Amino acid sequence: MLYTELLRLWDEAVKAVDAKDWPGALAKLDQITEPTSRTLFITATAHLALGQMEQALQALDQTIAKDERLAVGFFQRAAVLMQLDRLDDALSDCIWAKKHMRENIVIDYRQLGLRYKLYNWQVFYNAAAVYCRMGQWEQARDMLLSASQEKGGGRAAIVEPAIDSVLRWEVLPPLLVPEGEVFRPRKQDVEQLKQRDFLGKAKVISSMIPNDDFGGFEPLRMQKPGFYEPAVPGAQDSSRYMRMRVPYMARGPGQLTVPGGAMVFIFSEEDRNGMANVIYEGQRGLVPMSLLDPADVKKTKGKQENRVPSGIPLPPGFKPPTRPDTLPRTAAPPPVHFASSTPPPSYTNATMAPLPTREPLPTREPLPTREPPADRPRDQQDSPAQRGETASVVLKVHYRYTVALSVPLDTPHAELKELIAHKLGQPAAQIGLRHRQHGSQVLRPLGGEGEPGGSLWEVAEDGRATLWCQPEDPLDTRAILYQMVALYDYAAQGPEDLEFSEGDTIDILSEVNEEWLEGHCAGNIGIFPSSFAYREIRGFSPSIEEFSDQL
């Protein structure tokens, strides 16, 4: 679906919402074949206004499926689930809404087109409303006390009466996004939907007549070979030709010097000073009208040799003239027949000396083939023909950014490390190369970087290889017990903590206790909670959901 069509239907649906035409808004939204999270939120709002709770819940489910971090979507769905008496699901949505607030006091959705601010205390209030319906009045009071400590507009007018209602065991009504507040398209995008005439209408800005004052323009008409003579309404062409009785010398600006007996063309009528605007030999100027006599112009057929040379010449015809024969033609020389051993004359053998014979270049010996390691699966081992043909591989290196380069297949590890360090602009001693085996999430060091036997062949597959480059410091005095993979991002809480990101490989140096470990990552050494990482055992890599109960 084109974005312009989506934008048009979206704007029409919002206009229907502003007019409280809920069925009309739903009709426009149903025409969108590829709805977004914001258009689905409008659909849920229209169903809520019509009292259709099940349809509103389905639309909110699709909204959250499109945008899993939309806190206002979880907030709205929690209120709908309370009205459908699905309290466990409503409490879960309140928890998710609080999580996606990301410790913010308020989230302003005006940048996304929704003129609504979601405050943290409103999420606590809806959670208290769920506990009221569950009959857990103590938890409801605790939620309201937490809401009273939050900041936000309109909090005191709602939270304090709600605390009194809970003390009287009265069920709290849920909070919803106000009716009519929906996601709106950008005004600039809607204005672009209107068709605009960027070219405009054509205007004449020049004239074919020299020294024209641009007082007016004539309509287009057929051009004929000869001279262009401007047509003047109400006058005959023959009456516009005049002959100078005596020579006239120009005496002021705009006047024209014309010899006696010359034929001119009257361009405009006589002015009040007795001067006429005439054209003579392609130039226009003023001459006294009293010096002009009518001229008898006769048009001849055939060749126009006596045509009056006044006016402006037209462009040449479409057919170019033929070239005259100035020199007598000579008979063509007889064709020359060459023997099979004598090549015909050409530019090379006529203007240049024959090139000396070059000795053939020495052929390059093929690279020695290297047998893949024994522990590599048989289905990944290349055939001998492929090993002979493949001389280099495309190597992708993941660093703070990703680079790609072509490297010979038999490049040793030490030379490969120097090449990558030069490409990244880092010292080779402060970076470490790691690779990932099949079915494993652990980044293992590239073995044999200092040994002459190891090469890129060990990690290359089908002409490609992928390595991870991490900044490291040498650990000559410490032994690595084992390695773990970071399950979450961990920010250092003190100078002794080790900071890392999700997916980083951590070298375990010691076990402080059952809950804390000492590790090394990205050149730093420190301690971190053991629950923030996991250790791979026999190729089994657990997911984040399996560790959610540990926090």
Side-chain angles (χ1 to χ4, degrees), residues 437-442 444 534-542:
Q437 295 182 352
H438 284 284
S440 174
Q441 297 295 330
V442 176
R444 304 185 183 278
Y534 70 92
R535 182 179 180 183
E536 242 185 20
I537 300 176
R538 297 178 182 177
F540 172 75
S541 57

Side-chain angles (χ1 to χ4, degrees), residues 443-478:
L443 296 178
R444 304 185 183 278
L446 189 63
E449 292 184 7
E451 301 176 2
S455 65
L456 187 59
W457 178 275
E458 300 174 359
V459 295
E461 297 179 7
D462 299 331
R464 296 186 299 269
T466 304
L467 296 178
W468 281 260
C469 180
Q470 296 181 350
E472 294 183 356
D473 289 338
L475 298 175
D476 297 335
T477 60
R478 303 296 299 272

Side-chain angles (χ1 to χ4, degrees), residues 114-149:
L114 178 63
R115 294 176 294 191
Y116 181 73
K117 295 181 180 180
L118 179 62
Y119 291 92
N120 211 8
W121 67 265
Q122 294 176 332
V123 180
F124 282 117
Y125 177 90
N126 270 6
V130 176
Y131 282 124
C132 289
R133 286 168 171 77
M134 290 182 175
Q136 302 178 10
W137 302 100
E138 292 295 332
Q139 289 84 346
R141 185 177 61 85
D142 294 340
M143 289 289 106
L144 291 176
L145 291 177
S146 300
S148 63
Q149 298 176 0

